[in-house]
Amino acid sequence: MSNLSSPDRIELMQTFIRIVESGSLSAAAAQLNTTQPTISRRLQALEQRLGLKLIMRTTHALKLTDDGERCYAHARQLLATWHALEDDLTHANDEPVGTLRVRAPHAFGQDQLVAPLVDYLMRYPRLNVEWMLNDRTPDFIAENIDCAIQVGALSDPAIVAILLAEVPRIVVASPGLLAQHAPVDVVEQLADLPWLALTSFYRNEIALQRIDDGQPVNMAIAPRLSSDSLYAVRKAALMGMGAAIMSSWVVQEDLARGELVQLTPQWQAPPLPVWLTYPWASYYPARLQKFFEMVREVMPQLTGTRPAGTFQR
């Protein structure tokens, strides 16, 4: 990488793209692991080289000029071509190199997926991974994320989405809670129990379906505790605060120890789809292609998931 007095042209273009896509000089600095003054100097150097004003800065936002719009389009194409050239000439198409930025769901990403991720990194010593755990929908461009693993329904029709597997979900409660209430013999009696809500997937209503014929049933609930944390809901269920719908992998050991009990096993919540998502591009470097292959292979084999076929939207 060049010194600040004579920045490399590719570096300048990369910086310009990060400024545009992240929306600010400070965000671009954080993503490129440098300082805001450095980012500002690179932008000025690019504008001076081209003799054009690319970005208008106001108190609240950055706005591209017409020249800036054209420069951004060309810069993205140039960077894709440059990375393809680098991979081809260094034979990186055979071995992943560089840094891969991946977003994964918090619980799933810190539990089920770490072991295969470490195995993957052991295989490729020239690769680094930034493993970011967050349950919200990623903004791939602004946050500079290469790909994501997402659980549940998707909201962005513009992304590429590969269905990897599905996660069964069951109704559970603690023996202590059940001892305080009448036995649950039919599914409708679930409504008589106190409930916990996992707000990512259900709040004031539970939806179940009968395993043998898919018949649905919906029941209103008034949760004693609502949380967006899978682990918080599990902990509250273990303490007897209420019944809950949980991904089966989260409570597998609790069920084996008898600390939780599965209710109405013939009725389960619809399984959650697990997706690999990423923005469309004309070129994907080896670090992405190999990661795609690894995730598609291991995901259906993880404890608590099951194959769901291969489907691309």
Side-chain angles (χ1 to χ4, degrees):
M1 193 170 285
S2 307
N3 60 42
L4 293 178
S5 60
S6 179
D8 176 84
R9 287 178 174 84
I10 296 295
E11 181 183 56
L12 294 181
M13 289 296 185
Q14 182 185 38
T15 299
F16 177 62
I17 290 171
R18 281 292 90 228
I19 294 170
V20 174
E21 294 182 348
S22 67
S24 72
L25 301 185
S26 57
Q31 292 178 9
L32 293 173
N33 196 27
T34 187
T35 65
Q36 184 171 333
T38 298
I39 295 295
S40 182
R41 282 193 292 267
R42 289 179 188 172
L43 175 59
Q44 291 170 11
L46 179 60
E47 290 179 330
Q48 287 167 7
R49 277 183 186 271
L50 298 175
L52 299 169
K53 188 68 175 173
L54 302 176
I55 292 179
M56 302 296 294
R57 285 183 252 189
T58 69
T59 13
H60 302 295
L62 300 178
K63 179 175 173 57
L64 284 175
T65 64
D66 290 345
D67 290 327
E69 294 277 6
R70 288 193 293 273
C71 182
Y72 171 67
H74 285 296
R76 279 186 61 93
Q77 186 176 12
L78 174 66
L79 261 292
T81 304
W82 176 257
H83 291 317
L85 173 65
E86 279 188 318
D87 281 358
D88 184 54
L89 294 181
T90 61
H91 302 288
N93 53 318
D94 299 322
E95 180 184 355
V97 298
T99 299
L100 182 66
R101 292 171 55 85
V102 184
R103 171 76 69 77
H106 200 270
F108 215 58
Q110 73 179 4
D111 195 306
Q112 298 288 84
L113 293 172
V114 171
L117 177 65
V118 170
D119 288 342
Y120 179 68
L121 284 167
M122 293 288 194
R123 249 183 294 161
Y124 300 114
R126 298 171 63 197
L127 177 71
N128 304 310
V129 171
E130 291 187 26
W131 190 244
M132 295 162 284
L133 303 183
N134 195 307
D135 293 318
R136 64 180 173 80
T137 301
D139 187 332
F140 291 97
I141 302 303
E143 298 175 71
N144 195 24
I145 295 169
D146 293 307
C147 63
I149 294 163
Q150 295 179 247
V151 176
L154 301 178
S155 57
D156 185 353
I159 59 173
V160 180
I162 308 294
L163 183 59
L164 299 171
E166 62 184 20
V167 177
R169 295 190 296 159
I170 59 177
V171 181
V172 297
S174 72
L177 176 78
L178 297 175
Q180 301 171 29
H181 293 81
V184 177
D185 297 317
V186 294
V187 68
E188 288 78 12
Q189 291 174 314
L190 289 174
D192 299 330
L193 296 175
W195 271 85
L196 309 168
L198 182 60
T199 54
S200 313
F201 302 112
Y202 69 97
R203 293 174 181 268
N204 300 309
E205 183 181 61
I206 58 170
L208 304 174
Q209 53 187 202
R210 194 158 55 191
I211 291 177
D212 55 3
D213 61 5
Q215 178 183 333
V217 64
N218 291 66
M219 281 177 282
I221 59 171
R224 296 289 317 282
L225 173 68
S226 300
S227 174
D228 61 354
S229 167
L230 196 61
Y231 287 130
V233 172
R234 169 183 169 269
K235 183 73 171 177
L238 286 166
M239 295 177 71
M241 177 57 67
I245 294 175
M246 301 291 288
S247 298
S248 58
W249 69 268
V250 180
V251 295
Q252 190 171 29
E253 294 181 5
D254 303 321
L255 293 169
R257 289 192 296 260
E259 295 175 0
L260 288 175
V261 177
Q262 181 179 358
L263 304 179
T264 61
Q266 69 276 24
W267 293 84
Q268 296 185 8
L272 295 176
V274 183
W275 304 90
L276 170 66
T277 62
Y278 50 92
W280 184 90
S282 57
Y283 171 75
Y284 298 104
R287 59 181 174 271
L288 263 178
Q289 294 181 33
K290 296 290 187 182
F291 182 80
F292 293 166
E293 292 171 10
M294 182 273 287
V295 169
R296 294 180 74 163
E297 178 184 348
V298 306
M299 184 63 72
Q301 302 170 11
L302 294 179
T303 302
T305 68
R306 61 192 183 201
T310 301
F311 172 79
Q312 181 165 346
R313 191 184 61 209

